Amino acid sequence: MCSWWMLAAKQGHARAQYAAGEAYISGSAYRNGHRDFKSGFPWLLRAAQSHVPEAEMQVGDLMLHGGGVIQDEESGVEWLQRASALPGLPTAAALRCQGEAAASPTA
């Protein structure tokens, strides 16, 4: 990953934080393609906390399904609901959240 992206992420730029998290999780941060959830998830979470819709959706999805992080379905659904309320990815996040709610035994 470009060093200027990491520099911007460390300085609090939310889109750069999303890019850093995505690079670690997708494996593009390393030459060998290693997917590093331990390094990537905190960057995604910071971006999500700064209201980056793509980050909110990815954090929700990872938490909901336990993808590389400890599974927390309740928090996962909350992050997906937050993503659906923001401009950017409302339709995709809303559909994913509705699908998860419909699959829930309490829905």
Side-chain angles (χ1 to χ4, degrees):
M1 176 157 64
C2 294
S3 60
W4 57 270
W5 273 109
M6 280 306 296
L7 180 61
K10 289 177 182 176
Q11 292 179 349
H13 189 278
R15 284 279 168 192
Q17 291 170 338
Y18 171 69
E22 182 63 28
Y24 282 118
I25 287 176
S26 71
S28 66
Y30 300 108
R31 288 186 182 184
N32 67 2
H34 171 70
R35 297 179 74 193
D36 185 354
F37 290 90
K38 186 176 181 181
S39 296
F41 186 77
W43 287 115
L44 287 177
L45 186 58
R46 288 178 190 152
Q49 290 167 336
S50 295
H51 309 292
V52 175
E54 299 90 346
E56 290 182 342
M57 195 162 99
Q58 191 160 0
V59 165
D61 197 44
L62 290 170
M63 293 182 96
L64 187 66
H65 300 291
V69 299
I70 295 173
Q71 187 172 10
D72 182 345
E73 293 180 1
E74 185 176 329
S75 293
V77 169
E78 287 177 18
W79 278 111
L80 290 173
Q81 289 173 336
R82 289 180 193 184
S84 70
L86 291 173
L89 294 176
T91 303
L95 289 174
R96 182 172 286 166
C97 193
Q98 288 173 358
E100 296 300 337
S104 172
T106 58

